[in-house]
Amino acid sequence: MSMQSEVAMKSLNVTGSQSTPTILCNPDNGVMSMQGDSYPENSFEFFGEVIEWVEQFLQRSSQPLQLELHLIYMNTSSVKAMMDIFDLMEAAFAASREVSVRWYYDPDNERVVELAEEFKEDCSFPFDILPHDE
Protein backbone atom coordinates (compact mmCIF):
# COMPACT_ATOMS: atom_id res chain seq x y z
CA MET A 1 0.00 0.00 0.00
CA SER A 2 2.54 2.59 1.08
CA MET A 3 4.80 1.52 -1.77
CA GLN A 4 2.15 2.46 -4.30
CA SER A 5 1.48 5.89 -2.89
CA GLU A 6 5.19 6.72 -2.91
CA VAL A 7 5.48 5.81 -6.59
CA ALA A 8 2.82 8.42 -7.37
CA MET A 9 5.15 11.29 -6.45
CA LYS A 10 6.62 12.98 -9.51
CA SER A 11 9.73 15.04 -9.46
CA LEU A 12 9.16 18.68 -10.28
CA ASN A 13 11.69 20.64 -12.29
CA VAL A 14 11.17 24.32 -13.00
CA THR A 15 13.77 25.98 -15.20
CA GLY A 16 14.72 29.35 -13.84
CA SER A 17 14.64 32.66 -15.65
CA GLN A 18 15.85 36.15 -14.87
CA SER A 19 12.95 36.66 -12.46
CA THR A 20 12.27 33.12 -11.28
CA PRO A 21 14.42 30.57 -9.46
CA THR A 22 15.36 27.17 -10.80
CA ILE A 23 13.46 24.67 -8.68
CA LEU A 24 14.21 20.96 -8.46
CA CYS A 25 11.98 18.72 -6.36
CA ASN A 26 13.26 15.18 -6.07
CA PRO A 27 10.89 12.75 -4.31
CA ASP A 28 13.51 9.98 -4.31
CA ASN A 29 15.85 11.72 -1.91
CA GLY A 30 13.38 14.23 -0.46
CA VAL A 31 15.41 17.25 -1.52
CA MET A 32 13.91 20.39 -2.96
CA SER A 33 16.34 23.03 -4.15
CA MET A 34 15.71 26.59 -5.27
CA GLN A 35 18.33 28.78 -6.84
CA GLY A 36 18.25 32.33 -8.16
CA ASP A 37 16.14 35.46 -7.91
CA SER A 38 12.43 35.33 -7.27
CA TYR A 39 10.22 38.15 -8.47
CA PRO A 40 7.81 36.45 -10.88
CA GLU A 41 4.88 38.35 -12.41
CA ASN A 42 2.51 36.02 -10.63
CA SER A 43 4.10 34.42 -7.57
CA PHE A 44 0.89 32.66 -6.62
CA GLU A 45 0.81 30.87 -9.96
CA PHE A 46 4.55 30.28 -10.08
CA PHE A 47 4.79 28.78 -6.59
CA GLY A 48 1.41 27.04 -6.75
CA GLU A 49 2.75 23.76 -8.09
CA VAL A 50 5.75 23.90 -5.76
CA ILE A 51 3.54 24.33 -2.70
CA GLU A 52 1.33 21.52 -4.00
CA TRP A 53 4.37 19.27 -4.47
CA VAL A 54 5.55 19.90 -0.90
CA GLU A 55 2.05 19.24 0.41
CA GLN A 56 1.78 15.97 -1.50
CA PHE A 57 5.26 14.85 -0.58
CA LEU A 58 4.58 15.41 3.10
CA GLN A 59 1.30 13.50 2.83
CA ARG A 60 2.44 10.60 0.66
CA SER A 61 6.05 9.97 1.50
CA SER A 62 7.59 9.12 4.82
CA GLN A 63 11.01 10.39 3.72
CA PRO A 64 12.58 13.43 5.35
CA LEU A 65 12.14 16.63 3.37
CA GLN A 66 15.07 18.97 3.00
CA LEU A 67 15.01 22.36 1.35
CA GLU A 68 18.25 23.69 -0.06
CA LEU A 69 17.86 27.35 -0.85
CA HIS A 70 20.26 29.51 -2.81
CA LEU A 71 17.95 32.48 -3.15
CA ILE A 72 19.34 35.90 -3.90
CA TYR A 73 16.42 38.30 -4.10
CA MET A 74 12.77 37.68 -3.26
CA ASN A 75 9.86 40.04 -3.77
CA THR A 76 7.09 40.31 -1.20
CA SER A 77 4.77 37.81 -2.84
CA SER A 78 7.61 35.27 -3.17
CA VAL A 79 8.28 35.70 0.54
CA LYS A 80 4.59 35.00 1.17
CA ALA A 81 4.74 31.81 -0.92
CA MET A 82 7.86 30.72 0.95
CA MET A 83 6.02 31.25 4.23
CA ASP A 84 3.29 28.92 2.97
CA ILE A 85 5.91 26.25 2.27
CA PHE A 86 7.51 26.71 5.69
CA ASP A 87 4.05 26.54 7.32
CA LEU A 88 3.47 23.15 5.69
CA MET A 89 6.86 21.98 6.94
CA GLU A 90 6.18 23.33 10.41
CA ALA A 91 2.89 21.40 10.59
CA ALA A 92 4.63 18.24 9.37
CA PHE A 93 7.41 18.73 11.92
CA ALA A 94 4.80 19.10 14.67
CA ALA A 95 3.47 15.72 13.51
CA SER A 96 6.95 14.18 13.96
CA ARG A 97 8.07 14.36 10.34
CA GLU A 98 11.72 15.04 9.61
CA VAL A 99 12.05 18.31 7.76
CA SER A 100 14.90 20.80 7.48
CA VAL A 101 16.05 23.89 5.65
CA ARG A 102 19.53 24.85 4.54
CA TRP A 103 19.65 28.40 3.28
CA TYR A 104 22.92 29.27 1.56
CA TYR A 105 23.79 32.92 1.13
CA ASP A 106 26.42 35.09 -0.45
CA PRO A 107 28.39 36.66 2.41
CA ASP A 108 28.29 39.98 0.54
CA ASN A 109 24.51 40.04 0.55
CA GLU A 110 23.35 40.99 4.03
CA ARG A 111 19.73 41.43 3.00
CA VAL A 112 19.34 37.75 2.26
CA VAL A 113 20.80 36.81 5.63
CA GLU A 114 18.30 39.09 7.37
CA LEU A 115 15.44 37.60 5.37
CA ALA A 116 16.55 34.03 6.13
CA GLU A 117 16.85 34.88 9.82
CA GLU A 118 13.33 36.33 9.88
CA PHE A 119 12.00 33.11 8.39
CA LYS A 120 14.01 31.04 10.83
CA GLU A 121 12.47 32.80 13.84
CA ASP A 122 9.06 31.43 12.89
CA CYS A 123 10.26 27.86 12.38
CA SER A 124 10.97 25.28 15.06
CA PHE A 125 12.40 22.65 12.69
CA PRO A 126 16.15 22.54 11.89
CA PHE A 127 16.98 25.64 9.86
CA ASP A 128 20.60 26.38 8.94
CA ILE A 129 21.76 29.61 7.38
CA LEU A 130 25.15 29.03 5.79
CA PRO A 131 27.55 31.05 3.67
CA HIS A 132 27.90 29.28 0.35
CA ASP A 133 31.29 28.26 -0.95
CA GLU A 134 32.73 30.60 -3.50
Side-chain angles (χ1 to χ4, degrees):
M1 165 73 197
S2 69
M3 230 1 243
Q4 215 166 359
S5 59
E6 301 219 356
V7 173
M9 277 309 294
K10 295 192 302 279
S11 53
L12 174 67
N13 299 334
V14 179
T15 307
S17 70
Q18 199 179 338
S19 61
T20 57
T22 296
I23 300 177
L24 303 173
C25 303
N26 184 338
D28 299 330
N29 63 4
V31 173
M32 175 174 121
S33 66
M34 285 192 205
Q35 193 154 11
D37 286 325
S38 186
Y39 51 98
E41 291 281 300
N42 186 337
S43 296
F44 185 72
E45 203 172 285
F46 178 77
F47 281 105
E49 59 180 348
V50 180
I51 292 170
E52 197 177 314
W53 187 91
V54 169
E55 208 165 9
Q56 291 192 345
F57 181 84
L58 291 170
Q59 282 170 7
R60 297 181 186 179
S61 172
S62 51
Q63 294 243 68
L65 174 64
Q66 181 177 331
L67 261 58
E68 298 203 346
L69 307 176
H70 300 255
L71 294 166
I72 304 154
Y73 170 77
M74 297 177 83
N75 65 0
T76 311
S77 51
S78 296
V79 166
K80 173 76 183 73
M82 209 66 214
M83 286 165 83
D84 290 345
I85 292 172
F86 289 156
D87 285 347
L88 289 171
M89 293 175 71
E90 188 64 39
F93 185 69
S96 314
R97 279 296 297 276
E98 255 184 89
V99 299
S100 62
V101 169
R102 281 193 181 152
W103 192 311
Y104 297 92
Y105 66 90
D106 177 345
D108 297 333
N109 186 343
E110 285 175 24
R111 210 174 60 222
V112 174
V113 181
E114 286 169 16
L115 178 63
E117 284 174 346
E118 280 176 39
F119 276 126
K120 181 177 179 167
E121 282 173 18
D122 296 330
C123 301
S124 59
F125 53 80
F127 195 126
D128 296 316
I129 303 170
L130 309 159
H132 66 59
D133 303 329
E134 294 316 307

